[in-house]
Amino acid sequence: KMAGSSAPWIGSAYLFLQSTCKTIVLPSLYESSQKKPCVFKALKLALEESTGSRNGVDILKVHCSHPHLIVQLKFCKQENCRRFLQSYREGALQESLQKHLKFSLAVTTVPLEMELKAGNEHLDNMLKDEDRCLECIYREKPDRLRDEEITELEACLEGLIIHQSISNSMAVNDCAALNSPSLPYPSRVSSLSPPVTFIFQGQQFANRTLTPDDHQKFAKLVSKKWKQVGRSLQKSCRALRDPVIDNLALEYDREGLYEQAYQLLLRFIQSEGKKATIARLIAALEENGLISLAEELLGLHSNEDCS
């Protein structure tokens, strides 16, 4: 028997995806650091369309099990799950995902085969009995929290939406409408934000979330000390553990110091969201003797052109 009105309705299912085109191998694309955000974006948009809500279904983890890409889903409301099942049964989800993969991967077509499972139950065999499907999904409680990688990908997706909005309209306020706590560059400070002021060199400054301008200035001016700054930030940021910093150094070695520093701060911003504040970055710069750069970010070198 499913839960009554007094308890939240939560269930889980696995969506198995396979491309029938030999040249498009979804697990390989997802394992590619360049293509992974494209595949994730298509998944996210298709699932949103299937429930008619941005938060209708959560992606907890994406597994690569050749030839399948397996998406672990979590539903928090029965009505959302019901809309998802209807979309899946009618082929709308499949059509939507094919469309979004086509655009995200810039290919002519992505023919898909899909299968839906909850535990040992193959839901494709009982799609006409929606209530039975709901019961199977409800019985399968999620066995994990959202994977850290999924959190990073969602932040990355929000970042793309923000940059597109800025470049199209130059109106940062449009980004606030996204209403997400994981926006890489939050456009407003909520009541849950860190302290509103901090002290630097004996002066008091307004604390705020990092902006694209801060990001670019840091990457341009920090030079070889980007690793040291990263290790200072890692004390309060799990996303910047030593292997991550070392991997960034290797992965972006050819692109040079600017890109290495840019990617470092991007990880910090994506991981910390609204907690990625100027105060935390200034403290890390101060710890590593980068006072001039700290002053630059705080606008104390107004006579110099660092745009």
Side-chain angles (χ1 to χ4, degrees):
K1 186 75 176 176
M2 286 188 283
S5 57
S6 60
W9 195 99
I10 295 175
S12 181
Y14 287 89
L15 182 64
F16 287 70
L17 305 171
Q18 178 182 356
S19 169
T20 56
C21 176
K22 291 182 179 179
T23 59
I24 300 174
V25 183
L26 292 178
S28 297
L29 289 170
Y30 194 80
E31 287 169 340
S32 160
S33 58
Q34 289 183 324
K35 296 296 184 181
K36 180 178 292 186
C38 301
V39 177
F40 181 80
K41 178 182 178 182
L43 285 171
K44 187 75 176 170
L45 293 175
L47 289 169
E48 286 177 6
E49 289 179 5
S50 75
T51 59
S53 169
R54 286 198 61 175
N55 302 311
V57 55
D58 289 333
I59 298 176
L60 296 183
K61 186 173 178 62
V62 178
H63 307 264
C64 294
S65 179
H66 291 263
H68 292 101
L69 195 68
I70 307 171
V71 187
Q72 186 175 6
L73 304 173
K74 174 186 175 183
F75 300 92
C76 291
K77 291 184 179 180
Q78 185 180 150
E79 55 266 36
N80 288 336
C81 189
R82 194 179 290 277
R83 282 195 292 267
F84 169 84
L85 286 169
Q86 291 170 350
S87 177
Y88 182 85
R89 183 178 64 242
E90 295 166 1
L93 174 62
Q94 182 174 9
E95 186 178 323
S96 175
L97 185 52
Q98 287 174 328
K99 175 188 70 176
H100 288 299
L101 283 170
K102 174 183 172 181
F103 287 121
S104 291
L105 298 173
V107 294
T108 54
T109 183
V110 185
L112 287 177
E113 287 183 352
M114 307 176 74
E115 189 176 359
L116 190 63
K117 296 181 182 180
N120 295 322
E121 300 287 351
H122 291 249
L123 302 186
D124 297 75
N125 300 329
M126 58 179 85
L127 288 174
K128 291 183 179 179
D129 190 344
E130 194 171 282
D131 287 337
R132 186 180 170 197
C133 289
L134 285 167
E135 286 176 7
C136 292
I137 291 172
Y138 174 73
R139 282 201 303 266
E140 293 298 318
K141 300 304 180 195
D143 60 358
R144 62 161 65 240
L145 297 174
R146 186 165 62 174
D147 195 73
E148 283 186 12
E149 180 183 66
I150 300 301
T151 303
E152 290 182 9
L153 283 166
E154 292 203 337
C156 179
L157 178 57
E158 297 289 4
L160 290 174
I161 294 172
I162 286 178
H163 289 307
Q164 287 168 2
S165 174
I166 292 173
S167 62
N168 289 341
S169 66
M170 298 303 289
V172 178
N173 287 338
D174 290 349
C175 304
L178 292 170
N179 239 353
S180 167
S182 58
L183 298 181
Y185 300 110
S187 54
R188 58 187 176 184
V189 179
S190 75
S191 60
L192 299 176
S193 293
V196 294
T197 61
F198 67 100
I199 303 296
F200 171 72
Q201 303 287 286
Q203 297 183 55
Q204 190 171 27
F205 292 88
N207 197 11
R208 54 177 173 75
T209 48
L210 293 171
T211 67
D213 189 50
D214 297 328
H215 197 165
Q216 291 173 0
K217 281 185 178 180
F218 170 81
K220 181 180 178 181
L221 300 173
V222 71
S223 191
K224 294 180 180 179
K225 285 197 171 183
W226 68 271
K227 275 190 177 183
Q228 289 96 308
V229 175
R231 291 193 173 100
S232 293
L233 290 171
Q234 79 178 189
K235 296 172 185 176
S236 60
C237 178
R238 291 178 58 200
L240 293 180
R241 287 169 291 199
D242 275 331
V244 173
I245 295 174
D246 293 337
N247 287 340
L248 288 175
L250 291 172
E251 187 174 352
Y252 296 97
D253 180 51
R254 289 187 178 182
E255 286 84 352
L257 294 172
Y258 175 92
E259 191 62 28
Q260 290 170 329
Y262 187 92
Q263 293 296 328
L264 172 85
L265 201 59
L266 181 62
R267 293 293 179 96
F268 177 66
I269 291 167
Q270 289 175 344
S271 169
E272 299 297 299
K274 291 181 179 180
K275 294 180 182 178
T277 61
I278 189 69
R280 291 174 70 183
L281 181 56
I282 293 299
L285 294 173
E286 198 171 10
E287 185 175 319
N288 290 282
L290 295 167
I291 304 302
S292 180
L293 174 51
E295 291 173 346
E296 198 69 65
L297 293 174
L298 293 173
L300 300 178
H301 290 176
S302 56
N303 294 330
E304 295 181 23
D305 180 16
C306 294
S307 59

